[in-house]
Amino acid sequence: MNTARKITWKNYFGVSSVNIFIATTQNVLSAWLMYYYTTYAGLSIMAVGTLFAISKLAGAFFSLFFGELSDKFGQTRLGKKFGRRRFWLLAIIPVHTILFPLVWLPGMGVAYYYFIYILYNCVLRVPQIIIPTLTTEMTTDSTVRAKIEGMKQAVGAIATTALSALPGIMFLYFGKDLAAFTWTMIICDVLACVALFLQYKWSFERPAEELHFNPGRSAWQEMKLMFRDLGSTLRVRAFRQLLAMFVAQISERTISGYVNTYFIIFVMLMSPTVVAGANSVAYLLGLLFLSFFLWYTIKTDGATSFRLGAWVTLLVFAAFAWLAVVRPPHAEIWLIGLTIVLNFGKTGIANASFYLMSFIPDVDEMVTRERREALFSGVFNFVDTVIQASIMFTLGLVLSATGFQQGVDVQPESTVTSIIAIYTCVPFCFGLWGIIISKRFKLNRENHLIVLQEIARLKNGGDRGAVDPQTRATVELLTGLPYEQCWQEPAAATEHHVAAAAAR
């Protein structure tokens, strides 16, 4: 069985190298594309903002579609030959090589940029969906999964730190000329494609013969049932709980990240350089924080790491409120110190969330007998995008309603008060919500192993009626379903739950 295969350093780096792709493309797009489109492409700031919003939503819905497609792709000829996950990494290389430069062509008109950027944003989602699935595909060992997730975060952090300087270097060499963007684009395109190839070359997945598909249905027929499958993910109790924890951490992270600059400039009345300095120091220490939480997660479990990170963030947000009200001497030092501690807490929350996500497809297999890693990855990606877009839109409305003024150094008192509340109280509440849910989350290392052993027993022809009481209780605790409703053929499971829903 391939999940028992030894993981080498090549496999660790291979499965993590796609984060170089994400760091490369997202760094360039998020940092420079708005400036490029307004300066060289002739788009208005409103047109660019609308373009980014529409492309994010399009990418979010594409994530759901592609997740389902990847899961069902294993029953096709190409999927059996190249893999239902890794095939897409290989296929996206020529697509990205051609499409990425087209995003950066100057003077092409509004319709062209809308079409090409929305298309490219959907292409970006393919590796993002594949990333979480390979952790689960390559091993069932929870300790190895924790190491893989830590490696992925480390590679992503190093790549982002290194590549963030690339556009600046190009500007120093070429000046504010189109050539600076052209060479940045070429370097990033090459790095992104190399990263995709390395992940294809040095990662592996479950062979097709280990997968269970509904007999008599083609991949296309299965795709027609996409919305049925999306709804079925919510049947799993552990997934519902983790999704709630995920929403809490996304909301906390998005709100604090979006309002951080406003808090420092308009509440603390400090220079924007303090923002950059605080974030740079915190970022440099990120790898140390990640190393700690990697060790702590292996020593304890994901939910405990999540709570530790969340409690740290709660204390920091309370301290930020104190800082805004009291304004002690040496406030800059306090601010930088708290920002570093906040990054420590966020690192723990993020690391734990990705680690726990790798367990969900195993619990789901106990219910459906299918391996649906990409479907769950697509759902998480969709929720992440929609929550971020909704929060940013809502925050814009709230700040406007409080009298926020563009281009001024001092905001009205009502706006300042609102910024303090938004930056401290709202993330505090989301963090507390995440902690409460995590206390009820019982998918730990021991329970996960029980589920894996039960799946192996049933795959080997074991009788469902011969299940031992502890295993039955654990399966029911994690799935939220009676044991008799688990390990059914997909069609039978669907008919049962539709009938149950109608009866209710």
Side-chain angles (χ1 to χ4, degrees):
M1 182 177 177
N2 82 309
T3 46
R5 182 170 154 184
K6 183 179 179 181
I7 308 291
T8 68
W9 72 267
K10 285 186 178 181
N11 301 135
Y12 277 113
F13 184 77
V15 77
S16 304
S17 62
V18 78
N19 277 13
I20 299 175
F21 169 90
I22 292 178
T24 301
T25 53
Q26 288 188 345
N27 178 68
V28 174
L29 290 174
S30 61
W32 296 104
L33 195 59
M34 179 173 288
Y35 174 79
Y36 178 84
Y37 275 172
T38 55
T39 304
Y40 296 100
L43 272 63
S44 68
I45 190 69
M46 180 63 72
V48 176
T50 304
L51 168 61
F52 285 1
I54 293 175
S55 64
K56 275 185 173 292
L57 290 175
F61 283 101
F62 178 80
S63 297
L64 298 178
F65 167 81
F66 178 74
E68 180 78 357
L69 174 63
S70 178
D71 286 333
K72 307 303 183 187
F73 194 68
Q75 58 191 122
T76 66
R77 288 184 179 179
L78 287 174
K80 292 175 181 177
K81 183 175 182 179
F82 295 100
R84 59 177 181 160
R85 313 297 187 203
R86 294 165 64 247
F87 166 82
W88 297 103
L89 298 173
L90 200 61
I92 214 72
I93 292 175
V95 176
H96 189 275
T97 302
I98 297 170
L99 196 57
F100 189 60
L102 297 181
V103 174
W104 298 87
L105 288 182
M108 298 300 293
V110 175
Y112 169 86
Y113 292 117
Y114 268 67
F115 172 77
I116 206 71
Y117 184 65
I118 291 172
L119 179 61
Y120 179 69
N121 201 268
C122 291
V123 169
L124 282 180
R125 301 296 171 135
V126 173
Q128 293 180 23
I129 300 302
I130 297 299
I131 289 172
T133 67
L134 290 177
T135 303
T136 307
E137 296 267 5
M138 291 172 67
T139 181
T140 57
D141 190 317
S142 58
T143 299
V144 176
R145 287 184 181 180
K147 291 178 180 178
I148 291 175
E149 290 301 331
M151 181 69 171
K152 285 196 290 189
Q153 285 186 272
V155 169
I158 293 171
T160 301
T161 302
L163 291 168
S164 62
L166 179 61
I169 294 172
M170 294 296 106
F171 276 122
L172 286 175
Y173 189 80
F174 293 103
K176 289 187 177 181
D177 188 79
L178 188 60
F181 286 100
T182 301
W183 280 103
T184 299
M185 176 270 295
I186 292 173
I187 293 171
C188 288
D189 200 8
V190 171
L191 288 174
C193 291
V194 169
L196 289 173
F197 178 76
L198 288 178
Q199 186 174 48
Y200 173 81
K201 185 72 174 177
W202 288 344
S203 64
F204 57 90
E205 58 184 278
R206 297 171 189 269
E209 55 268 21
E210 290 187 15
L211 304 175
H212 177 85
F213 296 108
N214 200 343
R217 284 183 186 162
S218 66
W220 174 245
Q221 289 173 323
E222 289 284 0
M223 282 296 298
K224 293 179 181 179
L225 301 174
M226 179 178 69
F227 291 104
R228 176 210 71 178
D229 287 348
L230 289 172
S232 71
T233 61
L234 296 175
R235 295 204 313 264
V236 181
R237 174 187 289 159
F239 174 68
R240 295 196 303 268
Q241 293 172 335
L242 183 58
L243 188 63
M245 292 163 59
F246 188 63
V247 169
Q249 71 103 352
I250 292 171
S251 302
E252 180 182 334
R253 182 189 68 206
T254 303
I255 293 171
S256 61
Y258 185 78
V259 185
N260 174 259
T261 302
Y262 292 157
F263 178 82
I264 293 174
I265 295 175
F266 298 125
V267 176
M268 301 308 301
L269 302 177
M270 296 178 186
S271 167
T273 57
V274 176
V275 181
N279 290 333
S280 297
V281 174
Y283 207 75
L284 288 173
L285 294 172
L287 289 178
L288 292 177
F289 300 156
L290 181 59
S291 299
F292 168 81
F293 276 105
L294 175 59
W295 166 82
Y296 189 70
T297 299
I298 293 174
K299 185 176 177 61
T300 57
D301 61 68
T304 303
S305 285
F306 183 95
R307 285 193 293 274
L308 175 60
W311 278 118
V312 170
T313 61
L314 294 191
L315 293 174
V316 172
F317 287 123
F320 273 131
W322 167 81
L323 195 64
V325 174
V326 176
R327 299 180 185 274
H330 310 296
E332 291 88 351
I333 297 176
W334 277 100
L335 186 68
I336 293 174
L338 289 174
T339 301
I340 292 172
V341 178
L342 179 62
N343 192 52
F344 173 81
K346 286 183 176 181
T347 300
I349 294 174
N351 178 261
S353 297
F354 288 118
Y355 170 69
L356 291 172
M357 285 178 197
S358 69
F359 288 168
I360 296 298
D362 297 321
V363 180
D364 177 68
E365 185 180 14
M366 185 65 233
V367 178
T368 64
R369 300 179 66 178
E370 294 183 273
R371 296 302 307 183
R372 306 194 299 175
E373 289 91 347
L375 178 63
F376 285 98
S377 179
V379 170
F380 279 118
N381 196 287
F382 174 81
V383 170
D384 190 354
T385 303
V386 171
I387 292 293
Q388 287 191 55
S390 300
I391 286 176
M392 292 178 71
F393 177 74
T394 303
L395 288 175
L397 290 179
V398 171
L399 290 176
S400 297
T402 62
F404 183 85
Q405 299 176 11
Q406 297 279 1
V408 300
D409 295 329
V410 179
Q411 295 291 339
E413 188 63 30
S414 59
T415 302
V416 172
T417 303
S418 297
I419 292 174
I420 294 173
I422 293 171
Y423 188 67
T424 60
C425 298
V426 179
F428 186 97
C429 292
F430 276 114
L432 189 60
W433 177 39
I435 290 172
I436 293 171
I437 297 170
S438 72
K439 294 290 287 185
R440 303 174 62 186
F441 187 78
K442 304 301 181 183
L443 183 49
N444 53 32
R445 188 178 292 110
E446 292 74 20
N447 287 341
H448 175 244
L449 182 59
I450 290 174
V451 170
L452 290 178
Q453 291 172 339
E454 180 63 4
I455 290 174
R457 186 183 73 85
L458 293 171
K459 282 184 175 180
N460 290 327
D463 182 11
R464 285 198 300 171
V467 61
D468 66 81
Q470 182 186 5
T471 299
R472 171 188 285 272
T474 300
V475 168
E476 294 181 347
L477 175 67
L478 298 181
T479 64
L481 299 169
Y483 181 87
E484 289 72 20
Q485 295 180 21
C486 297
W487 200 252
Q488 298 186 27
E489 286 291 344
T494 301
E495 292 170 3
H496 173 85
H497 289 292
V498 168
R504 289 195 298 266

